[in-house]
Amino acid sequence: MRFLVGTGVSGQGVYLVEGEWAWNLTAIDGKVGVDLKALIDETVDLQGLIAGKDQVDAEPVASITPGLPVARPGKIVCLGLNYVDHIKEGGYDVPTYPALFMRCSTSMIPAGAPMVRPSCSEQLDYEAELMVIIGKGGKHISEGDALGHVFGYTLFNDGSVREYQRKTHQWTPGKNFDATGPIGPVVVTPDELPEGAEGLKIESRVGSEILQSATTSDMLWSVARTISTISEFTTLEAGDLLAMGTPPGVGHAKTPQRWLRPGETVEVEIEGIGICANPIVAEEDIATTEAAE
């Protein structure tokens, strides 16, 4: 199944997506809510909702403004180094344990929303990533059982302000600027993809310029291994988000370096899931517009 959280003609809600059309499940039953949490927690009868989708009119997917798939995730855990060629282009040694960091909710935005280049730095970089949405929580999850804890997969652009990421050994500042982490729009359940979402083409681009191109089979830590490893030190909860790292081709490793510029639109695409596209805006332009209003 494919889901899209957003706002369409029928209002804000969780939409079931089939091809180019979508049905607002929240309009059928308000208990569904306005993000995926009720479906993740299985507090609504999803199969009944699907069977009754003809109670509402179908809407074009393109007419729906995306929202965050999970409005308030308990944790957003990210892998920093998970593709060997990206590790090498960054000047790091290949790790024997995943490089993990956290993102905060204020850094996250939906697909389609403006991605903000901060006024304090021009070094806004892109990172195409697979994102995992945890469906069933747990601690000390075995690798063999880990994929049973996945609700779905979506797209993520781990927008990074490199100047601030490189100020210290801790990456927190550069990875947590406001409105730099687009996610979505479509969430795909595991049955629609290869096991562990392996073997999927992953790309980032601006217009016809391909920035990154690889496959999720190149990941050092698979989805199952990542879930198992993270659950060794923290209890994973339903609705947590795991970002699976980025392939080579990021802007700071190019010659000359390639930063995202206001006026551009950056796209992240993963085969079988979809496209996450976001325009780039300058923070100072937002402030000017708000002042004029």
Side-chain angles (χ1 to χ4, degrees), residues 106 109 112-120 124 177-180 261-264 278-293:
T106 52
I109 55 172
M115 190 175 178
V116 179
R117 187 190 73 180
S119 58
C120 58
L124 177 62
F177 274 78
D178 288 350
T180 55
R261 299 182 288 268
E264 295 181 327
N278 295 79
I280 309 302
V281 299
E283 183 180 15
E284 53 269 33
D285 291 341
I286 295 174
T288 301
T289 301
E290 291 176 347
E293 294 175 349

Side-chain angles (χ1 to χ4, degrees), residues 186-207:
V186 174
V187 174
V188 181
T189 53
D191 58 296
E192 299 242 342
L193 297 171
E195 187 175 77
E198 291 192 358
L200 302 178
K201 185 176 182 180
I202 178 171
E203 281 193 352
S204 64
R205 55 183 176 261
V206 171

Side-chain angles (χ1 to χ4, degrees), residues 92 101 103 107 115-127 157-168 170-182 250-252 257-260 280-281 283:
Y92 297 100
F101 62 93
R103 283 195 76 127
S107 72
M115 190 175 178
V116 179
R117 187 190 73 180
S119 58
C120 58
S121 178
E122 294 186 352
Q123 296 185 7
L124 177 62
D125 210 343
Y126 50 85
E127 291 193 1
N157 187 347
D158 186 21
S160 306
V161 182
R162 299 299 186 192
E163 181 179 349
Y164 280 75
Q165 181 182 347
R166 299 280 176 154
K167 281 183 181 289
T168 74
Q170 299 295 324
W171 294 352
T172 300
K175 295 290 189 174
N176 280 283
F177 274 78
D178 288 350
T180 55
V250 296
H252 83 88
Q257 291 177 319
R258 186 7 173 142
W259 311 122
L260 294 173
I280 309 302
V281 299
E283 183 180 15

Side-chain angles (χ1 to χ4, degrees), residues 1-5 13-16 25-26 29 31-47 49-50 69 133-136 151 187 189 238-239:
M1 290 173 284
R2 303 171 68 86
F3 300 105
L4 170 59
V5 171
V14 177
Y15 288 79
L16 174 70
L25 301 181
T26 305
D29 184 349
K31 293 179 181 178
V32 174
V34 292
D35 75 348
L36 291 174
K37 197 62 169 66
L39 297 189
I40 293 170
D41 291 340
E42 298 183 344
T43 58
V44 293
D45 177 12
L46 177 57
Q47 294 304 319
L49 289 166
I50 294 172
I133 300 178
I134 295 297
K136 183 175 68 173
F151 173 81
V187 174
T189 53

